[in-house]
Amino acid sequence: MTILIKNGVVFDPAQGIDGEKMDIAIDGDKFVEDVSSPDEVIDAGGRMVVPGGVELHTHIAGGKVNAGRIMRPEDGRKGRIPRGKLTRACSGFSVLNTFATAYTYARMGYTTTFEAAMPPLLARHTHEEFEDTPITDKGALVLLDNNWMTIEYAKSGDLDKLAAYVSWMSEASKAYGIKIVNPGGTEAWGWGKNCSINDPVPGFDVTPKEIIKALAQVNEDLGLPHSIHIHCNDLGHPGNFETTIETYEAVKDIKPSSDRQVMHATHTQFHSYGGSNWGDFESKADEIAKYINKNDHITIDLGVVMFCDTTTMTADGPMEYSLHTLSRRKWSNHDVELETGSGIIPVAYSPKIGVNAIQWAIGLELALLITDPWKMALTTDHPNGCPFTFYPEIIALLMSKAKRESMLETVSEAVGKRALIATIDRELTWSDIITMTRAGPAKILGMSDTKGSLKVGADADLAIYDIMPESFDPTKDYKTIEDKLMRTVYTIKGGEIVVRDGEITATPHGRTFWVNPAGKKAEAARDGMLEDLERMFRDYYTVSMANYPVQDEYIPHGVEIRTEVN
Amino acid sequence: MAAETVSNVVCPLCGCLCDDIEVIVEDGKISNVKKACPLGKNKIMGHDRIKAPMIRENGEFKEVSYDDVIEKSAQILAQAKRPLLYGWASLICEAQRKGVELAEEIGALIDTTASVCHGSTVVGVQGRGAPGCTLGEIKNRADLVIYWGCNPQEAHPRHRARYAHSVKGMYRPNGKNDRKVFVIDVRETKTAKVADEFVKIDPGYDYMAFSALRTILAGHADVVPDTVGGVAKEKLVEMVDAMKSCEFGVIFGGMGLTHTRCRYKNLENVISLVDELNAHTKFTLIPMRGHYNVNGSGHSLAWLTGYPFAIDFSRGYAWYNPGETTSNDLLMRREVDAMMAIAGDPGAHFPGESLRHMAKIPLIQIDPYANPTTELADIVIPTAVSGVEVDGTAYRMDGVPIRTRKVVETEYLTDEEVLERILTRVRELKGGN
Amino acid sequence: MKEVILITGRTLKQGSNLENKMSDAYFDAAARCEMNENLLTRIGASVGDAVKVSTRFGEVVVNAEKDDGLPDGHIFIPMGPWANAIVDPDTGGVGTPTFKGVPANIEKTDGAVLSVKDLIARYREG
């Protein structure tokens, strides 16, 4: 199938294209220079043509997402859509069923979605859900930081064995990259405790900072496409911005193995807090932005909060419990033996509550104060800050000071006193937005060859929005942004038209990317590592090692990415 | 004859999903099973099978072909106004997922055995949450284990040895000697006999006991009566002390909580207790799920539909309302006009009042074995035994997904194949209307 | 006739014959009613005697068995078609019938314990 998209106004930051009228050609599943006699010609008629959206941090599949669905039928009832000719029945507002997740992302122009937290022992679950989440290409980041093997090797400093373990685990869980969530803290939660970055992990004579450094080094030794992806210690604590910056500093001297960051710090809004308690809680987005602007080894995503009744879910068990004690609505928790944990609670962010309003402000402030859009991805840490369906409204807020001013009138006055948002005049451009939602996240993930761009040879993932950039003023007409970014005119995924006029037209299986780290770096200490691992299974796990690795049956649409460092 | 030993077989009987079973296969047949408990061993060894697909004619079964039963089943389901697809516990997720697709296609009700088992637990979770963990956390950390209203010695025979009591773990190197086990039950069960403490409670008083424990925990022992549900106040105080002072505690909840007075409120109350205990120490709750993949049915239904059981697709979207859309309520209201029972045995496990209606409507059974449901069925479709003759995914009682192993070949169709063929035929029939 | 509280639930033998319900072994495992020595004596029954258990919802004949783990005034019938002939079908608004804690009467009887087939056949009739 060949497609020619004519008369689009193209934004493709990876190629430095900033609103140029040009044609885009697709042959099969790739963008090409040109096609003669295309099977389909789409006249974009001056509308905005951009690469398919790349979501680098979302919670859409696996044990804790499903625990959220099971715990919250009241949320399921908010998104009911009957089945259609091509589509399955949908449910959910913050914890959507897999079909609703897929269709909604596709309608919004997203074609790549990365699940940000997969417990290795429950990896099969994540992959099963991926199979029932059509359309988008996917990948999962595997939680490796509170893992007893990792902690032991971080303690002994045996990075060769750690490299062998990360390599084995990436293959065993069919993961794309390394996720770190409150290192040491979730292990401490096994005893109802928590850790900050320099506290020794209970039972192990090692600090979170040492775990972070060890995993960062091994990530680069193995030449993984993505950097370590970290949810820092002390999430949600007043005054945590110092821990956040200390985390960034910890990996400053590690050299990246490719042209990208050494650390991706996620949902940074939740880690940019000043003050010492909820009473003097304040924004430190400026301090975080200052650091990011000065240093090139860190990228972030935002984790924007919007006002709604959402569901929070994270492997950060102690944080969820502590948050739960504020509301006491209901609380799920699932600690995973030897590996990680999770907590899930409903949260209603209210504009009238000072803390919530300041959280809202911080997410936006980060985006407006960090000067280089390549260093930050737009996320809401779906569904933690709010569901991803708020992206259009968030984009409107970032592009329009008028929109911000109208919203500021409705929020707690604490924002005026302990946040910066009202003092910021910057309005992001389309190029900024497309960078933060396409080119940037693709580069951060190490996928810029295939994702986040319309360049020749890249995957033919594309979105056309019903916006005429040449005659449209986003700073004034922000309501149109909110409306038009919810539903594309076209979404094309891998050369196939999956959405037309906001309706799903095809539901192909997406692919699942996973990384198989090979080469001497991965294999040198493999035998010794396997001895240690076999002991872990024999003595401590409750499943057999033989039944542990995710079988090939679970990734029928898998794409293996082999890295080899010798 | 050379015997082959298949190791690390996953037992497809109870929610323990033991994955260390050894199965001896001789000449394509299972000759012995090692390491399994009696329940698992009997399941894996197998029993007399339903020999062929059957259709009831004039009260008697007649053996027919798979084509015949699939055609007839598809016709019944395509024509039904209020079909119920029930069971889904003793089979793999791959088949459950196909079942949801079928339910959506025909606008059916789909419900699982959780409906008569831990459905009330799920409803309790929806009220108060699910503070839990995987079983390895118990093995490695727990020093206080409470079995409340459950009897693992008979229902989950290896539970204590593999996960919770005699097993040795990282921080419990002496196994049994490092843990204290309480059993709370209305009778002195086999589990009560091997516990450190047996606390006898009167039937239906669990809710009050949880309230008393929470009251004592909150520091108000003075307002607790001298006995609660037959349990002396001193014993309740002692229990709270044990709970507060342990390093890692767990309550395993059984059908003693879900099958009795207060049902989901029992669960809401015990979950609240566990929640409040976490202000003092680490505490968790794990429901003792019965069938090996009933937990998987809740999971796969939830990611596909948003809800874990009792789902009604008659509106085109998923409608969930336990008490209304649960199988026994539907049957006793005489609302269902056709039923499929798959990998569950309502004939044995539903009250008589429900069976009376099942006897009146077209009933399709999909199962490897004859059972009381067969006695009521109009169409019987024998299938391969998931977990022995078919490999696929099952979720342990703690949510850990494990791929069951195929040990021997079979000529029976799998559940998934049967469902796929019915679905295909239903689509043809409905397309033709 | 004695007023008692009926509990139903799993047993090792019932579970061992979960996929073998048309067998004698399952009949032995599930068509039984356990009670303590004291209750046996009070209804004048010995182990193996047929007893009739009736509730507001029906009656069933099963074989008497002894289990001194049961408190006075309590009987236990393993989950299965015999127990379910007499449990309280009320689902309490959440779907689960009342399988445990059902008020019942128990007495010795000359009646016969029905096989699975005969027991289920009763539902086909009415």
Side-chain angles (χ1 to χ4, degrees):
Chain A
M1 171 103 176
T2 53
I3 305 174
L4 183 65
I5 297 141
K6 295 169 66 108
N7 303 319
V9 174
V10 172
F11 291 83
D12 187 7
Q15 299 195 87
I17 299 168
D18 186 12
E20 284 177 39
K21 204 153 204 175
M22 57 193 290
D23 296 348
I24 300 290
I26 294 171
D27 187 350
D29 59 357
K30 300 285 182 192
F31 291 117
V32 292
E33 201 66 57
D34 201 4
V35 285
S36 56
S37 55
D39 299 318
E40 174 139 6
V41 176
I42 294 169
D43 186 353
R47 290 182 181 79
M48 184 190 294
V49 175
V50 298
V54 178
E55 170 70 275
L56 62 53
H57 187 108
T58 182
H59 299 286
I60 54 172
K64 73 189 162 350
V65 183
N66 221 32
R69 295 181 188 113
I70 291 170
M71 181 175 78
R72 299 203 70 191
E74 73 278 17
D75 188 272
R77 291 181 181 114
K78 285 185 201 169
R80 295 189 293 215
I81 304 171
R83 68 192 289 268
K85 275 203 159 54
L86 286 172
T87 52
R88 302 279 298 268
C90 291
S91 69
F93 166 76
S94 66
V95 277
L96 299 82
N97 69 336
T98 54
F99 302 112
T101 301
Y103 306 150
T104 311
Y105 266 122
R107 283 196 190 97
M108 290 169 64
Y110 276 76
T111 48
T112 304
T113 51
F114 269 66
E115 163 57 50
M118 175 171 74
L121 183 59
L122 312 182
R124 242 172 240 95
H125 186 158
T126 303
H127 290 293
E128 278 208 291
E129 289 201 25
F130 276 177
E131 270 309 291
D132 286 324
T133 311
I135 304 177
T136 63
D137 281 343
K138 290 164 281 283
L141 306 178
V142 65
L143 293 152
L144 287 182
D145 55 318
N146 285 286
N147 183 299
W148 290 0
M149 290 282 286
T150 300
I151 301 177
E152 283 291 353
Y153 291 148
K155 179 177 154 185
S156 64
D158 199 339
L159 296 193
D160 288 341
K161 276 189 174 174
L162 183 56
Y165 180 61
V166 168
S167 157
W168 185 89
M169 198 52 123
S170 190
E171 210 263 327
S173 65
K174 299 290 185 282
Y176 183 81
I178 301 175
K179 179 73 183 300
I180 300 175
V181 174
N182 188 6
T186 301
E187 166 56 27
W189 180 239
W191 302 114
K193 300 184 169 73
N194 200 356
C195 277
S196 189
I197 184 164
N198 293 311
D199 300 336
V201 183
F204 299 86
D205 185 22
V206 63
T207 64
K209 191 188 279 184
E210 292 169 296
I211 297 171
I212 296 164
K213 287 168 82 163
L215 282 170
Q217 184 61 55
V218 161
N219 194 95
E220 301 317 315
D221 288 349
L222 290 170
L224 302 184
H226 188 29
S227 67
I228 56 165
H229 188 122
I230 187 169
H231 154 151
C232 300
N233 297 94
D234 295 336
L235 181 147
H237 298 187
N240 65 8
F241 81 102
E242 288 175 336
T243 299
T244 307
I245 288 174
E246 193 173 349
T247 307
Y248 299 168
E249 279 285 292
V251 295
K252 203 173 180 179
D253 297 331
I254 295 172
K255 300 247 169 319
S257 56
S258 58
D259 176 26
R260 55 148 172 75
Q261 73 288 351
V262 176
M263 170 187 278
H264 178 75
T266 189
H267 40 65
T268 305
Q269 175 275 129
F270 290 113
H271 302 275
S272 305
Y273 299 163
S276 56
N277 58 54
W278 296 119
D280 63 6
F281 179 82
E282 61 176 346
S283 168
K284 286 288 181 187
D286 52 340
E287 294 290 336
I288 298 292
K290 199 161 72 185
Y291 188 96
I292 301 294
N293 288 338
K294 254 198 282 184
N295 292 279
D296 291 330
H297 69 291
I298 305 288
T299 56
I300 67 149
D301 63 80
L302 301 173
V304 178
V305 160
M306 294 290 282
F307 305 112
C308 62
D309 184 348
T310 191
T311 309
T312 65
M313 51 179 66
T314 159
D316 192 342
M319 190 284 297
E320 286 286 351
Y321 182 70
S322 133
L323 196 56
H324 167 60
T325 59
L326 301 176
S327 70
R328 292 262 179 213
R329 285 169 71 186
K330 48 188 170 183
W331 167 57
S332 286
N333 180 76
H334 202 63
D335 299 340
V336 178
E337 63 206 59
L338 286 80
E339 294 181 350
T340 180
S342 73
I344 305 133
I345 66 165
V347 167
Y349 295 110
S350 162
K352 302 297 176 199
I353 294 175
V355 169
N356 292 164
I358 292 168
Q359 289 178 305
W360 164 78
I362 293 171
L364 303 175
E365 289 167 4
L366 286 166
L368 297 168
L369 294 172
I370 293 171
T371 50
D372 180 357
W374 288 86
K375 287 183 173 178
M376 54 179 170
L378 172 58
T379 67
T380 64
D381 185 20
H382 166 80
N384 285 295
C386 60
F388 65 86
T389 45
F390 280 86
Y391 284 160
E393 190 177 359
I394 294 166
I395 289 169
L397 283 161
L398 296 176
M399 296 188 84
S400 167
K401 186 157 196 287
K403 161 86 178 167
R404 294 201 293 271
E405 281 167 351
S406 80
M407 198 148 166
L408 275 166
E409 287 171 18
T410 68
V411 306
S412 160
E413 57 187 24
V415 168
K417 294 174 190 151
R418 299 200 300 277
L420 314 156
I421 187 79
T423 67
I424 303 172
D425 294 328
R426 187 175 171 201
E427 292 173 321
L428 299 189
T429 64
W430 282 121
S431 181
D432 293 331
I433 297 297
I434 301 307
T435 303
M436 292 165 66
T437 54
R438 274 85 177 163
K443 181 164 188 288
I444 291 167
L445 285 168
M447 303 190 91
S448 48
D449 287 349
T450 52
K451 296 293 181 190
S453 172
L454 306 173
K455 69 187 174 193
V456 171
D459 290 348
D461 301 346
L462 166 150
I464 305 177
Y465 295 105
D466 186 18
I467 285 175
M468 310 287 188
E470 290 175 337
S471 58
F472 179 78
D473 183 353
T475 65
K476 296 199 175 65
D477 198 1
Y478 50 82
K479 283 206 170 61
T480 300
I481 300 179
E482 292 171 37
D483 180 30
K484 300 298 184 185
L485 295 193
M486 276 312 284
R487 289 157 55 92
T488 60
V489 186
Y490 280 91
T491 304
I492 297 177
K493 160 66 182 51
E496 188 170 358
I497 296 169
V498 292
V499 177
R500 186 180 273 137
D501 293 329
E503 298 301 325
I504 299 290
T505 53
T507 59
H509 275 289
R511 297 173 293 172
T512 298
F513 295 101
W514 67 278
V515 174
N516 188 359
K520 283 205 186 89
K521 279 285 181 187
E523 282 150 22
R526 194 176 173 95
D527 290 348
M529 180 280 293
L530 283 176
E531 274 179 37
D532 296 339
L533 186 58
E534 280 158 12
R535 197 185 62 243
M536 286 287 175
F537 275 98
R538 193 178 59 237
D539 294 346
Y540 306 129
Y541 269 109
T542 56
V543 294
S544 314
M545 191 162 160
N547 288 324
Y548 186 89
V550 172
Q551 294 84 352
D552 290 344
E553 284 87 343
Y554 294 90
I555 47 158
H557 305 92
V559 177
E560 177 180 344
I561 297 166
R562 213 175 153 81
T563 64
E564 191 153 337
V565 177
N566 290 306
Chain B
M1 182 62 60
E4 181 206 355
T5 301
V6 189
S7 302
N8 301 303
V9 172
V10 184
C11 175
L13 192 282
C14 85
C16 285
L17 216 61
C18 301
D19 75 334
D20 61 342
I21 311 300
E22 290 180 1
V23 179
I24 322 298
V25 179
E26 284 180 70
D27 199 17
K29 292 201 168 56
I30 295 168
S31 62
N32 200 3
V33 176
K34 293 182 180 166
K35 294 191 184 174
C37 71
L39 311 186
K41 181 172 178 176
N42 276 306
K43 167 98 188 246
I44 297 169
M45 287 296 291
H47 304 283
D48 285 341
R49 300 282 282 271
I50 300 171
K51 291 193 176 48
M54 300 186 290
I55 292 179
R56 195 183 288 274
E57 280 177 11
N58 303 319
E60 297 300 321
F61 277 126
K62 191 176 120 193
E63 292 192 358
V64 295
S65 68
Y66 271 118
D67 287 348
D68 292 337
V69 282
I70 282 161
E71 175 64 27
K72 185 89 174 126
S73 301
Q75 284 185 9
I76 290 169
L77 293 173
Q79 285 163 16
K81 288 194 172 60
R82 199 85 173 116
L84 167 63
L85 314 181
Y86 169 82
W88 310 104
S90 287
L91 82 180
I92 51 180
C93 291
E94 289 76 0
Q96 293 161 353
R97 288 154 70 188
K98 192 55 72 183
V100 174
E101 212 177 333
L102 176 63
E104 269 188 63
E105 183 69 37
I106 60 175
L109 295 131
I110 182 165
D111 190 23
T112 74
T113 61
S115 195
V116 290
C117 199
H118 274 286
S120 303
T121 302
V122 173
V123 176
V125 163
Q126 290 166 349
R128 296 297 306 143
C133 61
T134 70
L135 291 164
E137 287 290 280
I138 309 306
K139 166 176 165 167
N140 289 309
R141 300 184 202 266
D143 55 345
L144 177 65
V145 175
I146 299 173
Y147 287 111
W148 195 306
C150 56
N151 182 14
Q153 285 306 84
E154 304 212 50
H156 302 86
R158 297 181 76 207
H159 191 269
R160 286 172 48 253
R162 267 177 69 82
Y163 306 125
H165 192 185
S166 48
V167 64
K168 293 171 182 169
M170 170 74 107
Y171 296 97
R172 305 295 161 217
N174 306 305
K176 210 169 175 171
N177 296 329
D178 287 339
R179 312 180 202 268
K180 180 157 189 177
V181 173
F182 278 81
V183 167
I184 291 81
D185 209 305
V186 298
R187 60 194 174 109
E188 191 180 6
T189 60
K190 292 203 167 89
T191 309
K193 292 190 169 83
V194 295
D196 297 298
E197 289 254 7
F198 167 52
V199 179
K200 195 184 89 61
I201 186 168
D202 294 338
Y205 280 84
D206 308 273
Y207 185 90
M208 272 169 256
F210 294 131
S211 293
L213 293 170
R214 291 176 65 194
T215 306
I216 295 165
L217 183 66
H220 302 297
D222 52 318
V223 301
V224 172
D226 290 343
T227 63
V228 178
V231 184
K233 178 174 169 178
E234 293 73 42
K235 182 56 74 181
L236 294 165
V237 169
E238 193 187 304
M239 284 171 70
V240 170
D241 286 345
M243 289 172 176
K244 275 168 73 174
S245 63
C246 73
E247 291 178 330
F248 188 114
V250 60
I251 297 175
F252 290 106
M255 291 189 293
L257 299 177
T258 64
H259 278 179
T260 185
R261 194 161 73 151
C262 302
R263 292 181 182 78
Y264 75 100
K265 299 300 280 183
N266 291 330
L267 271 297
E268 288 195 350
N269 216 2
V270 67
I271 294 165
S272 298
L273 171 65
V274 170
D275 178 343
E276 287 152 14
L277 280 164
N278 275 280
H280 301 271
T281 185
K282 179 77 184 190
F283 229 94
T284 60
L285 175 94
I286 300 179
M288 297 286 276
R289 305 306 297 266
H291 288 99
Y292 78 94
N293 198 27
V294 65
N295 199 13
S297 72
H299 274 296
S300 56
L301 264 60
W303 81 64
L304 292 167
T305 74
Y307 314 102
F309 73 115
I311 295 150
D312 178 356
F313 275 114
S314 65
R315 294 160 179 84
Y317 53 75
W319 172 272
Y320 166 76
N321 192 19
E324 178 201 355
T325 53
T326 23
S327 299
N328 279 288
D329 301 279
L330 290 159
L331 289 167
M332 289 190 283
R333 285 202 307 272
R334 310 282 188 261
E335 194 171 306
V336 173
D337 65 349
M339 179 171 175
M340 173 193 283
I342 175 165
D345 180 9
H349 297 138
F350 282 7
E353 188 63 12
S354 296
L355 302 194
R356 267 179 211 107
H357 187 62
M358 276 170 57
K360 289 197 173 72
I361 57 173
L363 175 62
I364 303 157
Q365 182 186 32
I366 302 178
D367 207 292
Y369 296 105
N371 56 35
T373 301
T374 319
E375 296 300 305
L376 296 170
D378 301 291
I379 296 173
V380 177
I381 310 179
T383 47
V385 181
S386 296
V388 180
E389 298 167 342
V390 193
D391 55 350
T393 318
Y395 285 66
R396 204 165 67 181
M397 63 168 68
D398 58 349
V400 174
I402 304 179
R403 187 169 188 82
T404 64
R405 285 171 186 266
K406 175 176 174 169
V407 183
V408 288
E409 295 293 331
T410 179
E411 289 182 356
Y412 289 99
L413 292 183
T414 66
D415 297 307
E416 193 182 353
E417 287 166 343
V418 167
L419 291 165
E420 176 65 40
R421 288 182 59 181
I422 292 175
L423 178 59
T424 303
R425 186 63 187 132
V426 160
R427 283 191 173 132
E428 286 170 8
L429 290 168
K430 287 177 59 118
N433 283 345
Chain C
M1 188 145 74
K2 280 296 296 174
E3 283 183 19
V4 291
I5 298 289
L6 166 68
I7 308 292
T8 73
R10 296 187 189 284
T11 73
L12 203 58
K13 282 193 176 137
Q14 167 267 337
S16 298
N17 291 287
L18 215 50
E19 309 286 15
N20 194 27
K21 295 201 186 88
M22 308 312 284
S23 67
D24 291 346
Y26 183 72
F27 179 89
D28 292 343
R32 60 195 271 149
C33 175
E34 297 170 7
M35 65 203 90
N36 67 19
E37 176 96 52
N38 190 25
L39 185 56
L40 269 174
T41 311
R42 280 208 274 171
I43 62 168
S46 309
V47 168
D49 286 351
V51 291
K52 184 168 85 180
V53 185
S54 47
T55 67
R56 282 207 292 134
F57 315 99
E59 58 182 54
V60 72
V61 178
V62 285
N63 293 312
E65 296 291 337
K66 186 166 86 86
D67 176 0
D68 282 331
L70 278 154
D72 273 340
H74 290 65
I75 59 171
F76 176 89
I77 304 182
M79 64 190 285
W82 291 273
N84 287 330
I86 55 171
V87 296
D88 181 352
D90 175 37
T91 72
V94 286
T96 314
T98 311
F99 291 112
K100 300 184 199 296
V102 184
N105 285 294
I106 184 165
E107 61 189 313
K108 200 178 158 194
T109 179
D110 297 329
V113 183
L114 295 182
S115 69
V116 176
K117 277 181 185 284
D118 292 341
L119 190 67
I120 300 297
R122 298 200 301 187
Y123 301 114
R124 299 189 71 85
E125 288 150 15

